[in-house]
Amino acid sequence: MTITIYHNPDCATSRNALAMIRQSGEEPQIIEYLKTPPTHEKLIALLAAMNMPPRALLRQKGTPYAELGLDNPDLSDAHILDAMLAHPILINRPIVETPKGVVLARPSEAVLDVLPNPNLGPFTKEDGEVINAGRASAG
């Protein structure tokens, strides 16, 4: 089974999602998307798989979002895609792709929706928050 994470190691949410994937028993393909951005075709495919318009994947904080005028609601999807490809920091992360689907793992526990084994048991995020990622049945 192939799991791919479009990862930024400087992002706690991305690190938490990666740790959850590993705790589930999988070792994903890690693509540091700032160093190796997705192609135009791959970005379109990821958006389609998430049923998400390009604007919904735009990251604002810590990016050239404002300087590029990306807050203009009249900008086309093509313009937004071009901006994300030219400035990969504009792509929100982490994106996780598995045979079960593709998610923007924000919050990081959203990755559980596409993992083949989401039964992690208790998982402690970097900030100390405990996620009960078990699927225990009610008794």
Side-chain angles (χ1 to χ4, degrees):
M1 167 166 295
T2 302
I3 296 176
T4 301
I5 181 169
Y6 293 85
H7 179 61
N8 179 346
D10 294 331
C11 170
T13 301
S14 197
R15 290 191 306 269
N16 283 321
L18 177 58
M20 287 182 192
I21 294 167
R22 288 179 167 155
Q23 188 164 319
S24 81
E26 301 288 340
E27 183 56 38
Q29 175 186 11
I30 300 168
I31 297 175
E32 289 189 32
Y33 74 97
L34 295 177
K35 293 179 182 175
T36 308
T39 64
H40 183 265
E41 294 76 20
K42 184 61 179 182
L43 188 55
I44 288 172
L46 291 168
L47 286 162
M50 292 185 289
N51 195 27
M52 180 182 288
R55 185 172 295 281
L57 191 60
L58 268 176
R59 181 168 178 82
Q60 296 178 28
K61 183 179 173 187
T63 74
Y65 176 87
E67 300 91 272
L68 295 172
L70 296 174
D71 57 343
N72 180 344
D74 296 329
L75 293 177
S76 68
D77 286 351
H79 185 95
I80 292 170
L81 282 168
D82 288 345
M84 287 194 279
L85 293 167
H87 306 277
I89 193 71
L90 289 165
I91 301 171
N92 215 339
R93 77 283 179 158
I95 299 170
V96 178
E97 183 177 29
T98 79
K100 290 181 71 177
V102 181
V103 295
L104 174 60
R106 297 192 77 76
S108 54
E109 53 270 24
V111 74
L112 298 173
D113 294 339
V114 294
L115 289 179
N117 176 23
N119 301 312
L120 307 181
F123 178 87
T124 304
K125 293 166 77 169
E126 288 184 8
D127 66 1
E129 179 185 358
V130 176
I131 304 297
N132 185 1
R135 301 283 194 254
S137 59

